Amino acid sequence: MAPIVLPTPDRRDLAKLARRALVTAGPAIAQPHLHHFARRGLSVNHTQAVTLGIIAVYIVVIALLWNIPYVRWVLWPFKMLVIAFHEFGHAITACCTGGRVKSISLDPNEGGVTHMQGGWQAVTLPAGYLGSSLIGALLTFCGFNIVASKIASIVLGVCFLLTLWWARKDWLTIITILLAVGLMVAFWFIKHGEALRWVVLFIGVMSSLYSVWDICDDLILRKVNSSDASVFAKRYGGSSQCWGVIWSLISLFLMVCGILAALAAFKQSFEQQQDDSKDFLSTDRMLLKI
C-alpha cells in the first residue's frame, strides 16, 4: 500500500492561522489581566483618599502663605530647602555638562543664586525648576507610605543641614532650619513615623509646585534676582512668560506622575503601614537600647 503523503502547509497559511488565533483568543486572555491592573493601579482606597485630600489642603495653604506678610515666616525653613533643591538642579547639571560651580547663595526673600562657569546654558537654566519639581514628585510619592517617608526624611535632614552652608547667615535662618530638623526627628517617634509622612508630603507638594509660585514671584512681583525664565528667553528667544508656563506645566505633570505611581505602589492601610514601619528603624528598639 502506497504511503499517504499529506500536503505540507505553506508558511503563509501558518501565519494566517496564527493571526486568526491571536485575534480570537487575544481579548479573552488580556481582559482579566487588564481588569486586574485597572483594579490594582487606578482604584483609590480610604488611606489614599485621605492622602489626596491632604495634598489638596496643602496646595491651598501653601498658596495662601506664600506671600502673606508675617504669616509667611511659617514657610521659611521649608522655602529655604526648596530653594536649595532648585539651586542643586543648576549645580548638578552644570557639573554634568562640563561647567564649574563657583558659589551658591540662598535667601527666602530674594531667591537663590548659583554662580557657574561653563556648562550648557540651555540645560542648566531650566534644570533649577525642573530639578526641584522632580525631587518634589519623588517626595510626594514617598509621602504616601511611612517606610518610604522614613527613607526620604534621612535625605531631607542632610539637605536641611547643607542649606546652612549656603544660606544667608542670620539667627532666624539658623534657628528655623534647626527647628525643622528637630521637628522631623520628633515625628519619628509619633505612631512609628506616621506623622513623618505628612511632613515629607508637605515638602514634596511645595517643591513640586515651587516653579509655579516662584515664577509668579519673578514675573509679577519682580524679585531682586532675575528669573531663569527671563534669562532663558533673552538667550534662546520667546518670552519669559511662555517659558515659565511651559516649565510650570512640566512640573505639574511630574507631580501627577508621582501621585499616580504612589496610588499604584502603596495600597496599605494606615494600620498596615504602621506594622511595616515597626520593622524598619523602629523607634521602640531605639528607646529600649537607650
Side-chain angles (χ1 to χ4, degrees):
M1 182 176 179
I4 300 174
V5 180
L6 296 175
T8 304
D10 186 74
R11 291 184 179 179
R12 287 175 293 182
D13 296 333
L14 291 175
K16 290 180 181 178
L17 290 173
R19 283 196 295 269
R20 290 178 183 175
L22 287 174
V23 171
T24 303
I29 296 173
Q31 187 173 1
H33 297 284
L34 291 175
H35 177 70
H36 173 74
F37 175 78
R39 183 178 58 191
R40 167 74 180 172
L42 299 181
S43 61
V44 178
N45 59 32
H46 172 71
T47 302
Q48 293 174 328
V50 172
T51 306
L52 291 174
I54 295 297
I55 290 176
V57 172
Y58 282 168
I59 293 174
V60 175
V61 170
I62 296 172
L64 292 175
L65 294 180
W66 193 259
N67 284 305
I68 295 179
Y70 303 109
V71 182
R72 64 183 178 186
W73 295 108
V74 176
L75 296 179
W76 186 286
F78 305 107
K79 195 171 183 180
M80 291 291 293
L81 182 63
V82 172
I83 293 173
F85 290 155
H86 178 98
E87 301 307 323
F88 290 164
H90 289 310
I92 292 172
T93 52
C95 294
C96 291
T97 56
R100 186 170 62 90
V101 178
K102 291 184 175 181
S103 65
I104 297 176
S105 62
L106 305 175
D107 188 298
N109 292 322
E110 299 176 3
V113 178
T114 300
H115 297 283
M116 302 173 290
Q117 182 178 5
W120 298 349
Q121 296 294 307
V123 177
T124 58
L125 284 173
Y129 289 123
L130 302 185
S132 63
S133 299
L134 179 60
I135 294 174
L138 293 174
L139 292 175
T140 303
F141 171 81
C142 293
F144 277 75
N145 182 266
I146 297 177
V147 174
S149 295
K150 281 187 172 182
I151 298 173
S153 67
I154 297 173
V155 179
L156 285 174
V158 174
C159 292
F160 261 125
L161 296 177
L162 285 176
T163 58
L164 291 176
W165 181 262
W166 290 297
R168 189 181 69 185
K169 300 299 187 293
D170 59 56
W171 285 108
L172 180 61
T173 300
I174 296 172
I175 292 173
T176 53
I177 289 178
L178 292 179
L179 284 175
V181 174
L183 184 68
M184 292 181 63
V185 173
F187 281 177
W188 270 74
F189 297 88
I190 300 177
K191 291 186 178 181
H192 300 283
E194 181 179 347
L196 189 65
R197 81 184 191 98
W198 302 120
V199 179
V200 172
L201 188 68
F202 179 84
I203 298 174
V205 172
M206 187 170 177
S207 185
S208 294
L209 300 179
Y210 172 69
S211 61
V212 178
W213 293 312
D214 194 60
I215 285 172
C216 290
D217 281 351
D218 288 338
L219 301 181
I220 299 175
L221 301 178
R222 300 295 180 184
K223 293 187 302 187
V224 175
N225 296 326
S226 60
S227 70
D228 297 334
S230 61
V231 176
F232 192 90
K234 290 178 182 178
R235 295 193 178 186
Y236 301 103
S239 64
S240 57
Q241 290 85 353
C242 177
W243 289 115
V245 170
I246 291 174
W247 295 347
S248 297
L249 291 176
I250 295 175
S251 299
L252 292 173
F253 172 76
L254 292 174
M255 181 181 179
V256 171
C257 288
I259 292 174
L260 292 178
L263 293 177
F266 302 126
K267 293 292 184 180
Q268 302 93 334
S269 64
F270 288 119
E271 293 76 15
Q272 290 173 328
Q273 290 189 28
Q274 289 181 17
D275 291 338
D276 294 340
S277 179
K278 293 177 183 178
D279 298 326
F280 182 81
L281 297 177
S282 174
T283 52
D284 290 341
R285 295 175 185 173
M286 294 179 186
L287 292 175
L288 287 174
K289 289 180 180 180
I290 296 174

